[in-house]
Amino acid sequence: GENVEQHPSTLSVQEGDSAVIKCTYSDSASNYFPWYKQELGKRPQLIIDIRSNVGEKKDQRIAVTLNKTAKHFSLHITETQPEDSAVYFCAAQLNFGNEKLTFGTGTRLTIIP
Amino acid sequence: GAVVSQHPSWVICKSGTSVKIECRSLDFQATTMFWYRQFPKQSLMLMATSNEGSKATYEQGVEKDKFLINHASLTLSTLTVTSAHPEDSSFYICSARDPGLAGRNEQFFGPGTRLTVL
């Protein structure tokens, strides 16, 4: 089955700087890659997603890039703010018919004021 | 966006008892729902895929007789943890995709249920 690796496990960034989280996946048939933000004790919230037919997607301060050949994708957060502090998970979905998501191990992002 | 609810939000039970957790899609019909378990400071691990009107599909290593899943309607799936033990204490989260959102793969998550087994 699909295997998703995520790095780093923890990340501390000065407020205003950028944060980058990277994930790799194993199954080349995966074609949907969402990123979730989870605050303590809360549900995961989708912050951005990308399909395999697109190399990059941006939504204000958040962007995701995908390299299908290398089977890795990255989350970029610019101009970080204290409220960006949370745990971030990447995930991969095998194909549209099989909706099962495989999650990465998570990155605890701390924004230092 | 689509809304998924869970009940209860937290539950404490004695070892050996059974606990039922409900997952509801409030404004859409979901033929498929997913159940995840999340231990502290860990990722979400898929336990099973709940299929309306048919048997659930369990992930490797998940005991189907211990974690009973019933998806009796298009808006409700239940997870019953039978003969719960302290090691079953975890955060249980369900999710579903709204098939009415054509072209979107997004899954919507419930708020989770914190289970503590004494």
Side-chain angles (χ1 to χ4, degrees):
Chain A
E2 176 64 279
N3 181 50
V4 178
E5 295 188 357
Q6 184 172 345
H7 299 281
S9 57
T10 61
L11 179 62
S12 294
V13 174
Q14 206 71 38
E15 182 179 355
D17 289 349
S18 297
V20 180
I21 303 171
K22 299 182 179 181
C23 288
T24 60
Y25 60 99
S26 61
D27 196 322
S28 56
S30 290
N31 65 353
Y32 173 65
F33 307 92
W35 284 89
Y36 291 90
K37 175 183 181 182
Q38 187 180 32
E39 297 178 354
L40 188 63
K42 301 289 182 62
R43 78 185 85 193
Q45 297 276 9
L46 180 72
I47 55 172
I48 197 166
D49 56 8
I50 192 167
R51 291 189 184 184
S52 59
N53 58 349
V54 175
E56 184 173 358
K57 183 177 178 181
K58 189 173 182 180
D59 182 4
Q60 300 183 335
R61 297 186 298 109
I62 295 172
V64 56
T65 58
L66 171 65
N67 183 325
K68 284 172 54 180
T69 304
K71 289 188 281 189
H72 66 70
F73 55 113
S74 300
L75 176 71
H76 304 254
I77 306 174
T78 58
E79 300 173 27
T80 54
Q81 302 167 1
E83 52 265 36
D84 294 329
S85 295
V87 179
Y88 291 80
F89 293 98
C90 62
Q93 186 179 81
L94 201 54
N95 57 58
F96 195 87
N98 180 353
E99 302 166 350
K100 188 165 69 170
L101 284 173
T102 301
F103 281 83
T105 48
T107 297
R108 180 170 299 278
L109 174 64
T110 302
I111 307 302
I112 305 166
Chain B
V3 180
V4 176
S5 71
Q6 273 183 249
H7 179 81
S9 56
W10 59 270
V11 57
I12 301 173
C13 70
K14 292 183 178 180
S15 186
T17 60
S18 295
V19 174
K20 180 185 285 188
I21 303 169
E22 294 184 347
C23 177
R24 293 182 185 273
S25 55
L26 297 186
D27 52 359
F28 66 99
Q29 294 183 329
T31 55
T32 304
M33 291 183 174
F34 301 90
W35 286 97
Y36 296 86
R37 181 168 54 183
Q38 185 177 32
F39 292 110
K41 297 187 178 181
Q42 294 190 24
S43 185
L44 286 81
M45 297 300 296
L46 181 66
M47 300 175 66
T49 302
S50 173
N51 305 297
E52 187 270 334
S54 65
K55 291 181 179 180
T57 304
Y58 290 82
E59 295 299 301
Q60 192 172 10
V62 178
E63 299 175 58
K64 62 179 181 181
D65 294 330
K66 179 171 180 63
F67 298 99
L68 300 180
I69 291 173
N70 184 281
H71 195 151
S73 78
L74 288 171
T75 59
L76 173 65
S77 174
T78 60
L79 168 68
T80 300
V81 183
T82 62
S83 186
H85 290 284
E87 56 265 31
D88 297 323
S89 298
S90 187
F91 194 49
Y92 291 86
I93 311 175
C94 67
S95 74
R97 189 179 71 84
D98 182 354
L101 299 177
R104 287 179 60 179
N105 301 69
E106 181 179 359
Q107 286 195 22
F108 297 91
F109 284 83
T113 297
R114 172 79 55 196
L115 170 63
T116 302
V117 185
L118 302 176

